[in-house]
């Protein structure tokens, strides 16, 4: 194992990076269960309330590519520290908001900060740990904290709301501040580049960033107002134009923000596609299942959030082990099995809902779902980062995290549309929504199985590193 600092220093660096990753993922879902309390105190309209959640995703998904490239060009540690400081400041400011617009602004700023923190953190991890089992274990722990943060965000949000909904915004600040105090002593310094610094691609930045922002806005707005709404299709048309212009700019730029050749890397492209689809399927299931547990079963916000804790515990303990297996034996088979287990969980939910006790429905569906998520999440990370150099690790990380966010938004919008339209066709909306999720999960399983296999060379490199 090759590391940049002592064993203890590497362990502390991993703990710090995992803490930041946990905070970034947790904030995606932590505020959802607090929305009724927020609406009661701030008087927000129902149509604008969902933007308290979506603003974070908008900033996170819209700025990820820019965040990854900025980290590669200006230094991973420098970008990590600055963005984490902004995240902490926005978290504290969120505790003092007095209106809907200021709440949405605080959430947006936190999302943008996370878009710079996340790819920089993953790139720093790759520089701290060398190839082989050490990196596999570190990636597994890193992946498990991100997945656990997302899955347990609702649980933590429900617990915090017992005291105050403002606690859901502030509770990440102490962890971020402690991480900032420790980071300069344990994270490796940014390497001094030999030769001229790469020129920053401003033309690419000013086309892809608003393009992604408009795209995330469009699919998020579709979930709230429908696909026929002018803001929805108008944003998507503008996004398509800007992303098309971005591709033209990148194909002609001497030092592009996103070298288009990176998409010819089979493992990276396949991992990004599976990440977008499997995360989207999970978000769609979480959305509909949450409505069912609260509306039909009558559970409280805390009990509903706690229903996802079992899967989160599975992810927490199993993801590091599955990451090592992914490094050792290849990622395609593992992510295929992981998505298949998730598909079986959704199918079981459809067949069992209304026929067994809701508690048993949660336990028996969350077990394969948690194990499958623990297999898939680290597998896509290992696959995406296995064939990129350190100079492109921030960009590759940004692409991967963007896939998670954008895929989640697209599938959620589709699942919401089916859920909302089902009653008009005489279907049960919960059955229709989860059926769509299950069918898509089966298709994702087939797509995962078609991925590139680990080569003999890959295995030899791993064995030599051990």
């Amino acid at each position: 194992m090759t590391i940049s600092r002592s064993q203890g220093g590497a362990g502390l660096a991993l703990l710090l990076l995992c803490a930041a990753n946990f905070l970034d993922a947790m904030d995606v879902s932590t505020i959802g269960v607090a929305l009724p309390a927020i609406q009661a105190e701030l008087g927000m309209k129902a149509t604008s309330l969902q933007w308290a959640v979506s603003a974070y995703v908008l900033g996170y998904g819209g700025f990820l590519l820019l965040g990854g490239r900025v980290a590669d060009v200006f230094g991973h540690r420098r970008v990590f520290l600055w963005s984490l400081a902004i995240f902490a400041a926005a978290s504290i400011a969120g505790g003092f908001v007095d209106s809907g617009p200021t709440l949405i602004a605080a959430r947006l700023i936190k999302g943008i900060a996370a878009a710079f923190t996340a790819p920089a953190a993953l790139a720093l991890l790759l520089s701290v740990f060398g190839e082989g089992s050490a990196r596999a274990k570190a990636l597994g722990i890193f992946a498990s904290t991100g997945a656990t943060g997302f899955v347990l965000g609702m649980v933590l949000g429900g617990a915090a709301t017992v005291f105050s909904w403002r606690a859901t915004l502030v509770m990440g600040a102490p962890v971020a501040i402690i991480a900032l105090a420790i980071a300069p002593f344990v994270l490796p310094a940014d390497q001094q580049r030999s030769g001229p610094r790469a020129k920053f691609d401003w033309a690419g930045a000013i086309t892809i960033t608003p393009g992604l922002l408009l795209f995330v806005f469009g699919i998020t707005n579709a979930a709230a107002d429908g696909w026929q709404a002018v803001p929805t299709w108008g944003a998507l048309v503008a996004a398509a134009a800007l992303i098309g212009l971005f591709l033209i700019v990148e194909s002609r730029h001497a030092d592009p923000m996103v070298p288009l050749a990176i998409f010819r890397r089979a493992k990276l492209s396949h991992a990004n596609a599976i990440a977008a689809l499997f995360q989207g399927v999970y978000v769609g299931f979480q959305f509909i299942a949450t409505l069912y547990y609260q509306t039909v079963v009558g559970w409280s916000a805390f009990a509903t959030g706690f229903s996802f804790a079992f899967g989160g515990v599975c992810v927490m303990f199993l993801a590091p082990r599955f990451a090592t297996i992914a490094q050792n034996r290849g990622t395609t088979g593992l992510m295929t099995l992981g998505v298949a287990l998730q598909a079986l969980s959704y199918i079981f939910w459809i067949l069992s809902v209304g026929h067994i006790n809701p508690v048993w429905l949660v336990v028996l569906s969350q077990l394969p779902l948690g194990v499958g998520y623990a297999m898939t999440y680290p597998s896509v990370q290992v696959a995406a980062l296995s064939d990129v150099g350190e100079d492109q690790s921030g960009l590759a990380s940004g692409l991967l995290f963007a896939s998670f966010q954008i895929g989640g938004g697209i599938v959620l919008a589709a699942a919401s549309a089916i859920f909302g339209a089902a009653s008009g066709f005489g279907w049960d909306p919960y059955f229709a929504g989860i059926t769509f999720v299950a069918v898509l999960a089966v298709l994702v399983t087939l797509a995962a199985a078609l991925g590139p296999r680990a080569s003999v060379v890959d295995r030899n490199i791993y064995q030599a590193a051990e």
Side-chain angles (χ1 to χ4, degrees):
M1 179 178 70
T2 303
I3 57 178
S4 62
R5 299 275 177 111
S6 65
Q7 294 278 350
L12 191 55
L14 177 60
L15 177 63
L16 185 150
L17 296 172
C18 286
N21 190 35
F22 184 90
L23 292 179
D24 291 343
M26 179 192 71
D27 251 287
V28 175
S29 56
T30 190
I31 200 174
V33 293
L35 293 181
I38 292 173
Q39 185 176 30
E41 182 171 334
L42 298 184
M44 295 178 66
K45 297 180 180 178
T47 53
S48 60
L49 189 64
Q50 61 101 12
W51 285 107
V53 178
S54 301
Y56 184 87
V57 178
L58 179 65
Y60 198 179
F63 280 82
L64 270 166
L65 282 185
L66 179 62
R69 184 54 178 163
V70 166
D72 284 340
V73 173
F74 295 103
H76 298 143
R77 189 174 78 163
R78 181 180 295 108
V79 171
F80 177 81
L81 293 175
W82 276 103
S83 55
L84 188 60
I86 294 172
F87 184 94
S91 297
I92 295 171
F96 298 94
V97 297
D98 57 359
S99 65
T102 55
L103 171 64
I104 293 171
R107 293 280 296 166
L108 177 64
I109 293 171
K110 289 181 73 174
I112 294 172
F116 286 81
T117 303
L122 188 49
L124 281 166
L125 182 144
L126 297 180
S127 66
V128 170
F129 292 88
E131 298 287 346
S133 59
R135 177 176 288 187
K137 292 176 182 177
L139 274 174
I141 296 171
F142 187 85
S144 71
T145 56
T148 304
F150 175 77
V151 174
L152 294 185
M154 294 181 65
V155 182
L156 297 173
T161 305
V162 172
F163 301 97
S164 170
W165 64 264
R166 296 178 185 273
T168 63
L169 283 84
V170 179
M171 62 183 179
V175 178
I177 292 171
I178 293 172
L180 279 170
I182 299 173
F185 302 100
V186 299
L187 295 181
D190 296 322
Q191 294 182 355
Q192 295 293 327
R193 297 175 181 270
S194 58
R197 180 191 293 271
K199 294 182 179 179
F200 190 74
D201 178 14
W202 291 105
I206 62 176
T207 50
I208 191 60
T209 302
L212 287 177
L213 279 170
L214 287 168
F215 185 72
V216 175
F217 175 86
I219 59 177
T220 303
N221 197 71
D225 299 334
W227 295 99
Q228 292 81 17
V230 174
T232 298
W233 63 260
L236 293 176
V237 169
L242 285 169
I243 293 173
L245 181 60
F246 168 77
L247 295 175
I248 295 173
V249 169
E250 298 305 274
S251 66
R252 300 179 180 180
H253 200 282
D255 192 8
M257 178 178 166
V258 180
L260 299 184
I262 199 170
F263 295 107
R264 292 200 292 268
R265 298 178 181 270
K267 288 184 179 180
L268 176 63
S269 296
H270 180 254
N272 285 337
I274 300 303
L277 291 169
F278 105 85
Q279 179 72 0
V281 168
Y282 177 79
V283 171
F285 169 77
Q286 187 185 60
F287 169 75
I288 296 173
T290 297
L291 289 177
Y292 178 81
Y293 295 142
Q294 288 188 302
T295 305
V296 178
V297 180
W299 286 350
S300 66
F302 177 73
T304 300
F306 191 76
S307 68
F308 294 93
F310 190 36
V313 171
C314 291
V315 173
M316 183 186 305
F317 289 103
L318 295 178
R321 292 172 172 80
F322 287 129
T324 302
I325 295 173
Q327 279 274 36
N328 191 9
R329 301 181 182 178
T331 57
T332 301
L334 193 62
M335 72 172 67
T336 302
L337 179 58
V339 179
L341 283 173
Q342 293 170 73
L344 287 174
S345 176
Y346 305 140
I347 293 170
F348 172 81
W349 201 94
I350 294 169
L351 298 177
S352 303
V353 67
H355 301 292
I356 64 175
N357 186 286
V359 174
W360 283 111
L361 176 66
V362 167
V363 172
L364 296 178
S365 63
Q366 282 290 304
L367 179 60
L369 184 59
V371 174
Y373 202 98
M375 288 181 175
T376 312
Y377 197 100
S379 296
V380 296
Q381 283 202 357
V382 171
L385 300 170
S386 62
D387 59 350
V388 296
E390 188 172 333
D391 61 330
Q392 290 189 326
S393 58
L395 172 60
S397 303
L399 286 169
L400 180 64
F401 285 118
S403 297
F404 279 118
Q405 297 301 318
I406 294 173
I410 293 174
V411 179
L412 175 59
S416 299
I418 292 172
F419 180 85
S423 298
F425 294 92
W427 301 334
D428 178 81
Y430 299 100
F431 180 84
I434 301 297
T435 298
F436 165 74
V437 165
V439 170
L440 185 56
V442 172
L443 297 177
V444 178
T445 303
L446 297 176
L450 297 175
R453 300 287 175 180
S455 66
V456 175
V457 174
D458 291 335
R459 296 192 186 98
N460 289 339
I461 289 174
Y462 177 84
Q463 292 167 359
E466 284 199 304

